[in-house]
Amino acid sequence: MVTVRLPDTARSGRTAAAAVRTVLGDIAPARLGLCDAHDHLFLRSPQLPGQELESARAAADELAAFHAAGGRSVVQWTPYGMGRQAGRLPELSRAAGVHVVAATGLHQAAHYAPEALERLRREGLADVFIRELTDGIGHSGVRAGVIKVAGGFHCLDAHARWTMTAAAEAHHATGAPIAVHLELGTAGMDVLDLLCGELGVPARRVVLGHLNRSPDPVVHHRAAEAGAFLAFDGPSRAHHATDWRMPDAVRSLADAGFGDRLLLGGDTTTADARSVRGGPGMPHLLRGVRSRLELAVGAELTEQMLTVNAGRAFAVEWSGGDA
């Protein structure tokens, strides 16, 4: 069992200021600047053979290209056991001048060997998450700043319920936000029913990802009404037939008063999708997506989605470790 150490502010009863936990330390949310709220510098999975994001040189070049486009922060949603290369992230962050947030958490079962999942069951999944949020990932000393978990296609299977239950426990111990991969944008309300309804996680601490892949306005509005953050990520992928509807979905939510709940991300998951390999990559969020959204909802709200909203989504009052 992990022993949670309370910081001096918690022991004294004083309220800690909300901060984003980056790989170089905790920062004020306003320091994020233009933020890619969901992306990957490193990623490895048997589900993506031959397309691994493993090159540190390519990651450095991609971050540099993102910085040149105006980007100042990236939230990497790569969870436990998927090639995070946490130890490399501080150097990459410093060199590019881009804040990087690392993730703990667990993806769908298909991304892992059965023996790895069994080992996590014996070790205690929530304990792993808490340790990576408070002490660091492995021996890297890099602390995660978000918990990433995943649902299934229109459902939550036993694996998803196990990982989300552990994520909720880790949230209650640390305050960490929970970012959720929604398979093709589905099962968002099932996730909120479990995390918020059954497990007591405040909806404002939950980020639902990939909503652009299921352009259902009823679900979008219900999730926003519940108080969750809604991430429209990976809109540069031409093979997603729903992507062209994303600006209309954002405008509908903004018109309903939910502009402060919306986030944008690039979600680069394959080597060929990187800008340094000729794909859209991280810079496309600022070079392409931003201008398209400005036509739909205006420059002011688009800027808010990329800056203020990201700070509100990922900044929390941390407990369970020295800040």
Side-chain angles (χ1 to χ4, degrees):
M1 181 66 66
V2 170
T3 300
V4 176
R5 301 189 307 275
L6 294 179
D8 291 340
T9 52
R11 287 193 290 265
S12 66
R14 288 180 281 123
T15 301
V20 179
R21 181 152 290 173
T22 79
V23 300
L24 295 178
D26 294 356
I27 64 171
R31 291 180 57 195
L32 282 181
L34 289 171
C35 180
D36 181 342
H38 177 183
D39 225 311
H40 302 274
L41 290 167
F42 297 107
L43 182 68
R44 183 183 66 246
S45 169
Q47 299 298 303
L48 297 169
Q51 285 294 321
E52 295 82 1
L53 299 177
E54 293 186 317
S55 168
R57 181 68 263 168
D61 290 345
E62 193 72 9
L63 269 186
F66 180 63
H67 185 276
R72 293 298 178 265
S73 58
V74 173
V75 183
Q76 172 168 266
W77 285 31
T78 308
Y80 178 98
M82 294 187 68
R84 290 172 290 183
Q85 299 196 37
R88 293 184 180 273
L89 296 178
E91 179 182 356
L92 291 171
S93 175
R94 289 190 190 96
V98 175
H99 298 295
V100 176
V101 177
T104 185
L106 208 67
H107 212 309
Q108 297 163 332
H111 294 282
Y112 303 94
E115 55 269 24
L117 296 178
E118 181 56 34
R119 183 171 63 251
L120 289 170
R121 288 186 183 278
R122 293 194 304 268
E123 188 173 352
L125 190 59
D127 288 349
V128 172
F129 295 170
I130 293 168
R131 182 169 62 247
E132 294 195 336
L133 291 159
T134 59
D135 293 337
I137 298 170
H139 299 292
S140 69
V142 171
R143 294 188 294 181
V146 65
I147 308 165
K148 189 263 186 69
V149 291
F153 184 56
H154 287 288
C155 69
L156 298 182
D157 60 13
H159 176 87
R161 290 180 176 276
W162 171 52
T163 59
M164 290 184 192
T165 299
E169 184 176 340
H171 161 80
H172 290 306
T174 65
I178 301 174
V180 186
H181 165 100
L182 299 181
E183 185 67 18
L184 296 178
T186 65
M189 295 313 299
D190 295 302
V191 169
L192 294 181
D193 286 345
L194 176 60
L195 284 176
C196 307
E198 296 182 32
L199 300 173
V201 177
R204 69 181 186 280
R205 296 277 69 98
V206 178
V207 178
L208 299 177
H210 302 319
L211 288 168
N212 49 298
R213 301 182 190 178
S214 180
D216 185 335
V218 174
V219 172
H220 292 182
H221 284 245
R222 287 178 63 198
E225 287 169 357
F229 282 92
L230 281 60
F232 292 82
D233 39 35
S236 60
R237 298 180 181 189
H239 66 280
H240 289 154
T242 58
D243 285 349
W244 61 271
R245 298 181 182 177
M246 188 269 288
D248 291 335
V250 170
R251 182 171 56 240
S252 176
L253 287 160
D255 288 346
F258 299 124
D260 61 343
R261 317 304 304 167
L262 308 178
L263 301 171
L264 299 173
D267 191 28
T268 307
T269 58
T270 62
D272 287 344
R274 278 181 159 154
S275 66
V276 295
R277 290 281 294 271
M282 292 180 179
H284 183 72
L285 181 66
L286 303 179
R287 292 174 178 164
V289 176
R290 177 168 58 176
S291 60
R292 178 64 182 86
L293 279 178
E294 287 175 347
L295 293 174
V297 299
E300 183 176 355
L301 178 56
T302 303
E303 187 84 358
Q304 176 184 331
M305 292 168 64
L306 287 165
T307 57
V308 177
N309 291 0
R312 292 176 59 243
F314 297 106
V316 302
E317 296 173 358
W318 292 93
S319 58
D322 296 330

